[in-house]
Amino acid sequence: MSASARTELLAGWGRMPASAARVLRPRSVPELEDLLAHRDGSLPMIARGLGRSYGDAAQCAGGLALDCTGLNKVLELDLTTPQVRAEAGISLDELLRVLVPKGLFPPITPGTRFVTLGGAIASDIHGKNHHLDGTIARHLDHLRIATSGGPVECGLGQRSEVFSATCGGMGLTGIVTEAVLRLLRIETSSMLVDTERAADIDACMARLSEDEGRYRYSVAWVDGFSGGRHLGRSVITRANHAVLADLPAKARRDPLGLELRKPLRVPAAPPISLLGPVTVAAFNELWYRRAPRHRAGELVPLAHFFYPLDGLAGWNLLYGPRGFTQYQFVVPLGEEATVRTVLERLSRARTASFLAVLKRFGAEGSGHLSFPRMGWTLALDVPLGAGGTAVLLDGLDELVVSAGGRVYLSKDGRLRPEMMAAMYPRLADWLEVRARLDPEGILSSDLARRLGLDGARRLAVAKVEA
Ligand SMILES: Cc1cc2nc3c(=O)[nH]c(=O)nc-3n(C[C@H](O)[C@H](O)[C@H](O)COP(=O)(O)OP(=O)(O)OC[C@H]3O[C@@H](n4cnc5c(N)ncnc54)[C@H](O)[C@@H]3O)c2cc1C
């Protein structure tokens, strides 16, 4: 093994659970491919991007974490198609700086620009436009992945089962080294945003179901803390990319200027959580009251619309040393009562969730372990360590499963393995492809071990359950 490997304590964005692994940062794709093909001994390994998954997906206790952020080159930018071929360790932040000034935008973007392309593919990420544009897999033409048997090329038209197992496959089918991503053309770097308040969760879901096709992006920020008649009161924001004609004359001189301000930084990790019930309740109240009842056509820089949380670097530290998880689930349309029940249980337990995010998903994609399916998704931060949290969340899992839903693996650090096959009905297909691509089980992670995704044993169980 290269001398530059060092042992580090790794955690996801929720800071729990943490584990120690040796971290290696390959400097080139051939070096990474070589590492997998001629691995040293039997150390298990997993790819790591920018560590923005909330739980234990990019950790490998006692093994090797391959930090892919050194593989960050744009290899080819085709302005006519338009599409970009890039190394998978490139961050969305780096991509935006290249693309936006040229009038291009990633077709799917999460709520932070500090994720890598490889991490986005492994999670098969969705954005506020899922109802129209699906997940990132729908916009990928081609992937190159490193496996223990050598590099493999795949796409929807080429080895499509490998492609479908890899998009959403949590890094367990191979390490993505290169990807070709189709891009969206934009005329400006501004968004045209409509905002409105909804008095409770029912009103919010009703509004999100209306006019859906009029907006490329739509989301509701839900007060996960209020109960009673205010349960799920929300601020809905829906937007399209502004075109040149939407800008005032002065702004038309530089319509594609990209404003990515240096974020403020949480100076140090506080010894206790600063986000207790009192702080969060006060914040949520203020935030709801300050939002306009209805405002149309506001011009907003795209970074403010897509990445509001990136304005405060290290905000995850505010939850204190015990960390937090993000509980994100999806249930089918028609299961609105389940969304309401989850909110009721969480607000009754007074778990201090900052704003929750509610979204209506469109059609399911091709990824075997892809999270989105047609329905409602709700994401809430839940601080860990408080008595009863584990039992509360286990109960929510059961509720979600009985409604035909699932939780998002990229946000998870606590799900029980027996939930996997019920939540992910294509698990057996995925395990078969994984067993072919990684027969010795070299690729592994704390998440894989916790959920039984790393062995032949699980394949047998999933086959019996199917
Ligand atoms: C503030 C915030 C907002 C978010 N908003 C959204 C959202 O709107 N929609 C959404 O879908 N997600 C969202 N996420 C989750 C995030 O998009 C995913 O967790 C993403 O995978 C993080 O990318 P990363 O580079 O940090 O990967 P890491 O967290 O480092 O790794 C995540 C997974 O990707 C694998 N991986 C990393 N690189 C590679 C590679 N090159 N090849 C193969 N596997 C690899 C890892 O093994 C691991 O399983 C959000 C996260 C945060 C913190």
Side-chain angles (χ1 to χ4, degrees):
M1 184 181 306
S2 151
S4 62
R6 60 198 187 277
T7 299
E8 279 185 38
L9 195 60
L10 298 175
W13 191 241
R15 303 179 69 212
M16 279 303 278
S19 66
R22 295 168 83 175
V23 180
L24 201 63
R25 193 165 185 262
R27 281 149 301 187
S28 68
V29 171
E31 188 184 335
L32 188 144
E33 288 177 346
D34 207 46
L35 254 163
L36 245 86
H38 307 107
R39 65 209 163 270
D40 180 15
S42 56
L43 272 191
M45 53 179 85
I46 193 70
R48 187 170 174 91
L50 282 164
R52 262 26 179 219
S53 49
Y54 279 67
D56 49 2
Q59 296 163 217
C60 189
L64 195 59
L66 296 177
D67 173 348
C68 296
T69 54
L71 312 177
N72 63 347
K73 291 194 200 77
V74 170
L75 300 169
E76 203 178 333
L77 181 58
D78 181 342
L79 299 176
T80 51
T81 340
Q83 64 181 27
V84 63
R85 184 164 70 88
E87 290 179 347
I90 195 165
S91 71
L92 192 53
D93 181 68
E94 290 165 318
L95 264 180
L96 288 169
R97 291 169 197 273
V98 174
L99 299 180
V100 174
K102 296 188 161 50
L104 300 170
F105 194 67
I108 307 295
T109 179
T112 171
R113 57 184 202 274
F114 299 110
V115 299
T116 60
L117 182 56
I121 294 166
S123 293
D124 197 14
I125 59 158
H126 58 273
K128 297 177 176 70
N129 53 340
H130 186 275
H131 58 289
L132 289 181
D133 297 322
T135 60
I136 195 166
R138 204 195 278 180
H139 307 271
L140 290 166
D141 258 3
H142 181 85
L143 295 181
R144 181 179 171 99
I145 63 175
T147 73
S148 55
V152 174
E153 313 268 341
C154 65
L156 264 181
Q158 180 197 14
R159 305 198 67 178
S160 60
E161 80 296 348
V162 174
F163 182 79
S164 296
T166 300
C167 297
M170 305 310 293
L172 295 164
T173 57
I175 300 186
V176 182
T177 52
E178 275 181 35
V180 176
L181 179 67
R182 289 188 297 278
L183 301 166
L184 188 69
R185 287 189 204 280
I186 51 174
E187 287 185 26
T188 78
S189 56
S190 295
M191 305 300 295
L192 208 55
V193 184
D194 290 356
T195 306
E196 63 184 292
R197 284 200 225 161
D200 61 28
I201 192 66
D202 295 328
C204 177
M205 288 194 270
R207 283 300 289 148
L208 280 178
S209 305
E210 290 163 18
D211 305 335
E212 213 179 31
R214 272 183 57 210
Y215 299 94
R216 178 160 232 135
Y217 305 98
S218 86
V219 71
W221 302 87
V222 179
D223 177 359
F225 217 73
S226 60
R229 66 192 171 85
H230 295 307
L231 182 80
R233 65 181 174 178
S234 331
V235 177
I236 299 171
T237 56
R238 300 192 274 190
N240 289 309
H241 289 279
V243 295
L244 213 49
D246 295 320
L247 299 189
K250 202 171 144 211
R252 282 186 213 164
R253 276 183 237 139
D254 181 21
L256 291 165
L258 182 63
E259 203 182 317
L260 295 176
R261 283 198 210 121
K262 210 166 178 243
L264 296 172
R265 176 165 286 283
V266 173
I272 53 161
S273 169
L274 299 182
L275 299 176
V278 177
T279 341
V280 172
F283 171 86
N284 285 5
E285 177 74 29
L286 188 71
W287 156 84
Y288 182 76
R289 301 249 161 254
R290 282 191 54 190
R293 269 179 213 287
H294 188 265
R295 180 171 56 203
E298 187 191 9
L299 276 173
V300 172
L302 60 79
H304 292 209
F305 177 75
F306 288 109
Y307 317 115
L309 290 170
D310 288 347
L312 183 62
W315 61 262
N316 58 334
L317 300 177
L318 298 176
Y319 280 100
R322 288 167 156 183
F324 68 110
T325 189
Q326 186 168 89
Y327 194 73
Q328 180 166 9
F329 67 93
V330 59
V331 288
L333 295 180
E335 288 294 340
E336 290 74 15
T338 304
V339 176
R340 203 177 309 117
T341 308
V342 171
L343 270 175
E344 268 161 9
R345 288 198 195 170
L346 286 166
S347 84
R348 214 179 308 131
R350 293 188 69 73
T351 52
S353 180
F354 245 159
L355 300 179
V357 178
L358 179 74
K359 159 118 210 84
R360 210 176 126 107
F361 276 155
E364 190 163 353
S366 62
H368 295 155
L369 295 189
S370 208
F371 165 67
R373 54 161 298 163
M374 174 93 73
W376 294 103
T377 181
L378 183 71
L380 307 97
D381 291 348
V382 179
L384 293 172
T389 306
V391 177
L392 176 75
L393 296 180
D394 286 350
L396 297 187
D397 292 341
E398 276 153 29
L399 194 70
V400 165
V401 162
S402 63
R406 55 176 79 123
V407 302
Y408 190 9
L409 299 181
S410 299
K411 304 284 180 79
D412 176 59
R414 43 144 303 275
L415 187 69
R416 286 171 294 149
E418 59 270 25
M419 290 287 159
M420 266 310 286
M423 289 187 172
Y424 287 90
R426 300 180 67 196
L427 178 63
D429 296 341
W430 180 82
L431 284 164
E432 284 207 37
V433 181
R434 173 179 149 79
R436 255 188 286 136
L437 288 170
D438 185 25
E440 294 168 68
I442 297 301
L443 294 169
S444 184
S445 63
D446 292 359
L447 174 135
R449 286 176 214 154
R450 176 169 56 82
L451 294 176
L453 299 178
D454 62 343
R457 186 188 63 82
R458 186 69 210 174
L459 176 61
V461 174
K463 274 185 167 162
V464 171
E465 285 173 0

